[in-house]
Amino acid sequence: MSRYQIAVIVGSLRRDSFNRKLANAIVKLAPSEFSFSPVQIGDLPLYNQDDDTNPADSVKRLKDEILAAQGLLFVTPEYNRSIPGVLKNAIDHASRPHAQNAWAGKPAGVLGVSTGVIGTALAQQHLRNVLAHLDVPTLCQPEAFIQVRDGLFDEAGNIGEGSRHFLQNWMDHYVAWVKKHAV
């Protein structure tokens, strides 16, 4: 049986982030041959092309974690109808310098949760545009624009009963996507 190591990139630094909670819960719906590792992005310096020849240790760690993964899971909030700056900063760091894009070829899934009724639809679309440019094959369907509501999570922090079928379907598609595209 193959093992799949998935790098989980959460676009929020907030301690009680709904997106971190979603990331922690949804990975429990994956089969046992999938393991998920959170990627730290809050300690990265702001991207500066002058640093490409001598990147910070945190940037080297980020790139190593992305390169070691067979797939990517992005779970992001929506800030001002787009992705958070901290997520864009991490994407920029791991895609540079030119021709050293750590993201390239890694199959990805994109999710997000928000208190708004459209969830993180626009942030997800912006992220998909960025990932397309970086040669990241990204699962397109099913989409998951999730609104935080009572019952989304159960008392233990797992996906609640009312959302489990929908999110299990998403995870099943994501697993098939990674297996199809992982190199």
Side-chain angles (χ1 to χ4, degrees):
M1 174 191 315
S2 295
R3 299 278 310 157
Y4 298 91
Q5 178 61 42
I6 307 299
V8 181
I9 305 95
V10 176
S12 175
L13 301 180
R14 190 169 67 89
R15 180 177 48 251
D16 296 324
S17 164
F18 293 125
N19 285 279
R20 186 167 317 288
K21 193 171 183 179
L22 176 61
N24 291 337
I26 198 158
V27 301
K28 296 174 186 173
L29 301 178
S32 61
E33 72 262 27
F34 276 67
S35 59
F36 296 82
S37 298
V39 174
Q40 170 68 272
I41 63 173
D43 61 346
L44 299 170
L46 291 175
Y47 177 72
N48 180 339
Q49 190 174 8
D50 292 342
D51 298 330
D52 280 356
T53 57
N54 188 26
D57 288 341
S58 58
V59 173
K60 292 176 190 173
R61 183 203 69 236
L62 169 70
K63 290 187 86 164
D64 288 346
E65 290 175 354
I66 299 306
L67 289 168
Q70 285 75 52
L72 309 167
L73 177 59
F74 291 91
V75 186
T76 186
E78 182 170 299
Y79 293 174
N80 300 312
R81 301 290 189 239
S82 190
I83 61 175
V86 69
L87 178 56
K88 180 64 166 71
N89 188 52
I91 291 169
D92 291 345
H93 272 297
S95 69
R96 305 294 298 197
H98 182 70
Q100 294 181 30
N101 175 11
W103 308 105
K106 305 283 181 177
V110 176
L111 288 171
V113 61
S114 171
T115 57
V117 291
I118 64 168
T120 59
L122 295 174
Q124 288 187 43
Q125 188 56 49
H126 283 179
L127 180 55
R128 289 173 193 283
N129 290 343
V130 172
L131 296 176
H133 173 73
L134 296 175
D135 191 28
V136 176
T138 306
L139 176 67
C140 294
Q141 293 293 330
E143 295 175 310
F145 307 134
I146 305 163
Q147 182 182 23
V148 175
R149 293 183 156 213
D150 286 341
L152 176 60
F153 304 107
D154 66 18
E155 293 296 320
N158 299 311
I159 301 298
E161 191 60 40
S163 300
R164 190 170 297 126
H165 176 74
F166 174 75
L167 290 173
Q168 183 65 64
N169 181 57
W170 186 92
M171 179 56 78
D172 293 346
H173 279 82
Y174 173 72
V175 164
W177 185 256
V178 170
K179 287 180 176 181
K180 178 179 178 181
H181 294 282
V183 290

